[in-house]
Amino acid sequence: MTPSLLNITPELTASVAAKTVAAQALLAEIAGDWSPATFANSLGAEDMVLTDLIAGFNANTPANPIEIFS
């Protein structure tokens, strides 16, 4: 699909970026307050989004504070 078929607007891009920053802040809070933390992944669509966010968070955090299992 081309971006024009997906109707990707600057507003949508800004909204997704803001939600990503908020989710990353929440992951940092979870890692700080509840470490060691583990995410139970059932391989659903929402879980794949969270898995990607956690993997990115862990890549930028030395100790990989949030584990994932399925």
Side-chain angles (χ1 to χ4, degrees), residues 32-52:
D33 293 347
W34 301 100
S35 187
T38 303
F39 173 61
N41 183 341
S42 63
L43 305 176
E46 297 87 355
D47 289 347
M48 294 296 99
V49 172
L50 290 171
T51 297
D52 183 63

Side-chain angles (χ1 to χ4, degrees), residues 16-31:
V16 170
K19 290 176 183 177
T20 300
V21 168
Q24 290 169 337
L26 183 57
L27 290 173
E29 183 179 337
I30 290 167

